[in-house]
Amino acid sequence: MNNQYQLIKDVHPGDVGWTVKVTIAEKSPARTAKKSSKKYQNIILMDSEGSTVQATLYDHNIIAFQDELIQGKTYLISNALVKLTNLEYRSQSGDTQWTISGKTRIQQVDENNSALLLTAYNFIDFEDLENHMDTNTDISIIGMVIDTRPKRMIQTRSGNQCQVQDIILVNKRLETIILTMWENFVDNECNYICENLAKKPVIIAKHLKVSSFNGVSLSTKANSSFFIDGPFDIVEHFKTWAKKNAETLNNIMSEKCYLHLTPSKISLPNKSKYTDIKNIQGLQKTQRFFWIKGKAFVKVLNQPFWYMSCDNCNKVSGANCGDIYQCVYCKYPNSKAAPRAKVYLQLMDSTGYINATAIGEPAESFLLCNANTLMNHSVSNPDSNIIDLIRLATEEEKTFYIKAIQQNEEATEFKYELLFVLGSDSTVTAGNQQSKDKGKSPRVEDEQSQQMDSKDVTPPPAKRSLFQTPETPLPTKKKTEIAETVKRRSEDTCDKDLLQLILGSAKNYGDNGNLPADITPNKFIVDNCKNIYFASHETTAISASWCLMLLASHPEWQARARAEVLEIYGLRFSTADTLRSLKTNSLCDTTPFLRQHVTFYSHKVS
């Protein structure tokens, strides 16, 4: 460094004639002061030793220096006003703070200090974000934007409406996470991202927070800062990796599994993090989120277990299911009305109980029933008993993650919302379930990431719906397994079976151009395999269950069937060839598979 330039630590209040060479490390959006109408903008300056200082611009100076002070660029700065920082902010920005005004002299220097800037970042891997959930920890991440969701308006607890937008980030392990951008970030960073989405921009973000909304998600703070496709080697490595894995990334984007529940996993907490229900009342003022271990019960049966909602903001809607409309809450013009599960529960442990509301996936997880099923039941069978459809209680002790909600500052009563339901030995997982070495650094330069750069990556299994149906998208890994089986069987010369017939139909339809434009031969094969699996599984399972239920309902026929089995086989099990000897069992059902189940049941009972 030239001797005429001083370091940040050498500049004190009252000094004159100094010049410091600094790089703009962070640049927060302009915002309005809480106690006045004055606008201000904070930027973080970094010198060659990595020391930083906060500089502030006020009112008209924000616009005046908008194009002159660019994040990532290096400048010579002199004649800024230097003053001591208030004690309440000193731990965050150091002992001094600079004010940049029209009197400040600024000259850009043609230098690339990107390597120096990255030293200020401690990137957190997506898989480790749950450890910082609902805390005040500042998070730094790097990720590639693969999708965005529509802008929406939300109402804060203070009654103000704020504009937000979600962007979907992916890392090199092909884990995805939702980052919610607030207010100014929507008009600036989000607009740029949407315009360049096809290029899959890479963002480096600092000062984010981790929330428990929609699984584990990220959210901006007032002082968050972003580099979008910044001048860093780490960004170029990410771009190269994306080109090598373009097909896999496109599959993730087309299936949109990340919209149901974001990665990464939610693990059981340490014992020290659990709170007894009796102690929650005294902690609500200082703590909003609690882990509790206990049981849950549905006490009120005449409650509505679902409501119609906007699929963009989840607010209540008066539209019919499937209708496209403009939501009065989020203002999105193409909102789609969709059912959403909701249940009022009583959570209980050995110390007491509280009432809580579960909405969306937590409600489905507890009830073991999805929103569509609840809606169809209430519409088609309004007089039938809901007990036949849902689980009212469980004797199994589970772990619950709840949020205490205070309606306003004057309210003394709190409501509780159930955010997660975890079994005693399980984790809620939507991302990669493979083990990970916690000691490894998530930086791109490490050995593990370099290996990922050099080869294609198989994506982790996506979060499955509560009820898998033939219409439910299969995870990419399962599709790959089916495709490999199909390829192997297509080369066999064995006698034709059902799969061979499907392969032949796919080839004939494809060659003759009879398949719809959006159906490829591979998709034709996978869809048929799914339909056959579900049809055969459900038919057999239901028939077997019905047969055994009838035997239990008619003890005299059960006794006759058991006597015949014992007479013919004794304690030996039957085979497919010997089932013809069973006359009484043949009356129960004519399919050998079910007769064999009856035989097994008879042996077991005897």
Side-chain angles (χ1 to χ4, degrees), residues 470-514:
E471 292 76 24
T472 305
L474 280 179
T476 304
K477 182 179 179 181
K478 295 299 182 185
K479 290 183 179 179
T480 303
E481 292 175 354
I482 293 176
E484 291 175 352
T485 303
V486 167
K487 182 179 179 181
R488 184 173 62 254
R489 291 298 305 277
S490 62
E491 299 171 354
D492 290 347
T493 58
C494 60
D495 295 337
K496 284 191 175 182
D497 56 12
L498 188 56
L499 180 55
Q500 294 283 1
L501 294 176
I502 295 175
L503 292 173
S505 298
K507 184 177 185 304
N508 293 334
Y509 281 127
D511 293 343
N512 298 329
N514 294 329

Side-chain angles (χ1 to χ4, degrees), residues 249-348:
L249 288 172
N250 289 335
N251 287 336
I252 294 176
M253 293 163 59
S254 62
E255 293 174 5
K256 297 185 182 296
C257 302
Y258 43 77
L259 296 184
H260 301 294
L261 184 67
T262 59
S264 47
K265 61 184 176 57
I266 303 295
S267 303
L268 290 170
N270 297 328
K271 292 183 178 180
S272 60
K273 291 188 176 182
Y274 288 105
T275 303
D276 290 337
I277 288 179
K278 69 175 183 180
N279 296 329
I280 290 179
Q281 293 288 342
L283 299 173
Q284 297 158 331
K285 291 291 185 180
T286 58
Q287 186 176 342
R288 295 178 59 200
F289 299 90
F290 302 91
W291 287 102
I292 61 175
K293 180 176 287 188
K295 300 176 183 179
F297 304 90
V298 177
K299 291 296 186 180
V300 181
L301 293 180
N302 62 352
Q303 62 174 289
F305 287 91
W306 67 277
Y307 68 96
M308 195 63 67
S309 70
C310 165
D311 68 340
N312 187 44
C313 68
N314 295 325
K315 293 288 187 179
V316 65
S317 168
N320 295 320
C321 185
D323 285 354
I324 305 298
Y325 69 105
Q326 179 169 348
C327 178
V328 297
Y329 296 101
C330 67
K331 310 302 180 185
Y332 183 54
N334 295 314
S335 296
K336 184 177 180 180
R340 187 166 171 82
K342 181 177 182 178
V343 59
Y344 298 100
L345 301 169
Q346 186 177 91
L347 305 182
M348 181 181 299

